[in-house]
Amino acid sequence: MKVLLSIKPEYVEQIINGNKKFEYRKRIFKKNVESVIVYSTMPVGKIVGEFTIEKIINDSPEEIWNQTCKYSGVSENFFKDYFSKHKEGFAIKIKDFLEYKEPISPKDIFNNFVAPQSYMYVEEDKLTALHN
């Protein structure tokens, strides 16, 4: 299964240029997810690519930072602020990011699209539209 994640454009750039190999989340999927479709939030507002999940680290924010800081793509202050009220978090290790040649408007695929606050499962029939 795939999910769609909303990621700010500056962090999408960090993923594309290889400086960010971990995507941090306070909550994680309940279903078995193999890959992530990346929606670059406004002002881009497009689906720009996808990646395979190599693994998901679930630990305290301090331990996640110790394991991932080299390829976090964010500052330590940002990281600490993001997880400031959480005793545990998740780091999704990005593998094989595929940047789409033509970014896709989510409104062309999803009826009444609203960028998800955390994640959105993507049904199989929507995947065909992404790859046509």
Side-chain angles (χ1 to χ4, degrees), residues 88-118:
E88 70 171 7
F90 301 89
I92 303 167
K93 188 167 186 187
I94 297 167
K95 180 181 175 186
D96 301 331
F97 180 77
L98 171 67
E99 184 178 8
Y100 295 161
K101 290 179 184 172
E102 295 289 332
I104 301 166
S105 171
K107 293 181 179 177
D108 291 344
I109 298 172
F110 304 101
N111 293 331
N112 304 316
F113 178 80
V114 176
Q117 288 290 317
S118 93

Side-chain angles (χ1 to χ4, degrees), residues 10-27:
E10 59 263 36
Y11 302 124
V12 172
E13 274 305 310
Q14 293 289 322
I15 291 170
I16 291 170
N17 66 28
N19 293 329
K20 182 172 176 59
K21 295 185 178 182
F22 294 93
E23 176 60 23
Y24 302 109
R25 295 288 153 161
K26 296 171 188 165
R27 298 185 315 156

Side-chain angles (χ1 to χ4, degrees), residues 26-38:
K26 296 171 188 165
R27 298 185 315 156
I28 202 67
F29 336 112
K30 293 181 174 37
K31 297 180 180 178
N32 186 23
V33 174
E34 298 168 352
S35 60
V36 171
I37 297 165
V38 177

Side-chain angles (χ1 to χ4, degrees), residues 1-2 122-129:
M1 171 159 275
K2 294 187 180 194
V122 178
E123 300 299 325
E124 199 65 36
D125 64 326
K126 303 295 183 193
L127 299 176
T128 306

Side-chain angles (χ1 to χ4, degrees), residues 51-121:
F51 62 82
T52 303
I53 297 172
E54 184 171 323
K55 67 178 178 178
I56 298 174
I57 300 169
N58 173 212
D59 213 322
S60 67
E62 294 77 18
E63 186 56 34
I64 289 173
W65 181 253
N66 288 339
Q67 292 181 39
T68 66
C69 63
K70 186 173 179 183
Y71 292 104
S72 66
V74 299
S75 71
E76 186 173 1
N77 284 341
F78 175 88
F79 180 89
K80 286 181 175 178
D81 188 51
Y82 181 73
F83 284 113
S84 64
K85 296 179 180 171
H86 294 267
K87 293 183 177 179
E88 70 171 7
F90 301 89
I92 303 167
K93 188 167 186 187
I94 297 167
K95 180 181 175 186
D96 301 331
F97 180 77
L98 171 67
E99 184 178 8
Y100 295 161
K101 290 179 184 172
E102 295 289 332
I104 301 166
S105 171
K107 293 181 179 177
D108 291 344
I109 298 172
F110 304 101
N111 293 331
N112 304 316
F113 178 80
V114 176
Q117 288 290 317
S118 93
Y119 59 86
M120 178 176 88
Y121 294 108

